[in-house]
Amino acid sequence: MLHSQPSSLLGGFRLPLEAGRLLLGERSLWAPAAAPAGLSLLAFSAAVSLLVGYAGELYGWATAWMPTLEAVDWYAWLWIGPGKAALALLGLLLFAAIAGAALLVSFLLANILASPFLDVLSQRVERIESGADSQESEFGWKESISDGLRSLREELRRAAFFITVVGSLTLIGILIPGSQLLTGPAMVGFAIFFLPLDYASYTLDRRQISFRQKRSWLSSNKAAVAGFGSAGFLTCLVPGLNFFAMPLLVVAGTLLALRHPPAQLDPPSSS
């Protein structure tokens, strides 16, 4: 058990890299990945524009609780200087945490619009992994529309959950001076565990896994989930790579769900 946890953590962390190789090597995945990538570009551009435009205000809010260090005598700089440097570094870290959370919110909104495409992408990855015929199945209009509406509905539910938690942490940060020291890292920690929930859910929803069962699934696969979430969070922050974060993480989330299926259900048989 002691050896399996690091192995699962590393395996989860490697999934986005494996997903990238799969995306590049399988032409059938390119079409459903194109729209989410375009929406990611728009979401990232809008978020960066807002962050740059309001960087001063955001930094001021994140550091408003910090004490002002003043040196009365020249020798006081022996501790005032390092103290100022430490507070400045802490302020930058808090601003980075807020910026990371803001980028994730923008991608989450883009996820809502891209959810029908992402569901198709997840289905194709599952078909490839199961060894089924790569030829596209013939679906009627009713089934295609039903699948699209289902993925959109479930993505809206996950978005509401994310916004509720992040909004609550933000409100605490606004109302309680100094709480930014905790709420900033808490947002990052929540995002790391939300990413597997969000991007594996396309596969889990097709198995009719409830939200409570998903939480149990996350809890029973903590190491793999933490590895995937950490890699996913970093992916969203890397310039250029974050344009492809949505399709990349859906492929990786599908692999995560297939390799760590919920204990209460067997993997579905390929049709």
Side-chain angles (χ1 to χ4, degrees), residues 1-270:
M1 180 64 68
L2 292 176
H3 296 288
S4 65
Q5 292 294 334
S7 176
S8 296
L9 182 69
L10 185 58
F13 192 85
R14 287 175 173 171
L15 281 176
L17 180 60
E18 186 175 346
R21 290 197 295 263
L22 187 60
L23 270 173
L24 290 174
E26 292 289 341
R27 289 176 176 267
S28 64
L29 303 180
W30 293 1
L39 288 169
S40 292
L41 175 59
L42 292 176
F44 177 79
S45 301
V48 168
S49 297
L50 290 173
L51 286 171
V52 171
Y54 293 94
E57 289 83 350
L58 286 173
Y59 183 84
W61 171 73
T63 59
W65 60 276
M66 292 183 178
T68 301
L69 302 180
E70 298 292 344
V72 178
D73 300 304
W74 68 267
Y75 54 81
W77 281 103
L78 293 174
W79 59 85
I80 294 296
K84 282 181 173 291
L87 289 176
L89 178 60
L90 180 58
L92 289 175
L93 291 175
L94 290 175
F95 177 79
I98 294 171
L103 288 174
L104 284 175
V105 169
S106 69
F107 283 129
L108 189 64
L109 295 176
N111 268 359
I112 295 173
L113 298 177
S115 56
F117 301 98
L118 296 175
D119 188 52
V120 172
L121 177 61
S122 176
Q123 290 182 44
R124 292 188 181 182
V125 171
E126 186 167 347
R127 189 156 50 243
I128 291 169
E129 283 292 294
S130 67
D133 189 353
S134 60
Q135 187 70 25
E136 190 69 33
S137 300
E138 294 293 332
F139 292 111
W141 280 103
K142 289 184 179 180
E143 186 171 355
S144 299
I145 293 174
S146 177
D147 286 346
L149 291 176
R150 171 185 52 75
S151 60
L152 179 60
R153 182 184 66 249
E154 295 302 323
E155 187 61 41
L156 283 170
R157 288 177 177 175
R158 293 191 292 273
F161 172 63
F162 182 88
I163 292 172
T164 298
V165 174
V166 172
S168 299
L169 290 172
T170 302
L171 186 61
I172 292 172
I174 293 174
L175 297 178
I176 304 177
S179 63
Q180 298 93 333
L181 191 61
L182 296 177
T183 56
M187 287 183 189
V188 174
F190 172 72
I192 285 174
F193 279 91
F194 177 80
L195 286 172
L197 171 67
D198 191 27
Y199 289 109
S201 280
Y202 293 96
T203 304
L204 299 178
D205 288 341
R206 290 195 294 274
R207 289 156 171 76
Q208 299 181 346
I209 303 296
S210 68
F211 187 73
R212 175 182 293 182
Q213 290 171 321
K214 289 176 186 175
R215 287 186 299 173
S216 176
W217 173 73
L218 289 174
S219 179
S220 61
N221 295 281
K222 290 187 182 72
V225 162
F228 173 84
S230 299
F233 186 80
L234 293 175
T235 298
C236 293
L237 298 181
V238 176
L241 183 59
N242 47 24
F243 299 154
F244 305 96
M246 274 197 287
L248 184 68
L249 294 181
V250 164
V251 173
T254 301
L255 297 177
L256 177 69
L258 292 176
R259 295 174 186 180
H260 302 273
Q264 66 270 27
L265 288 178
D266 294 326
S269 57
S270 59

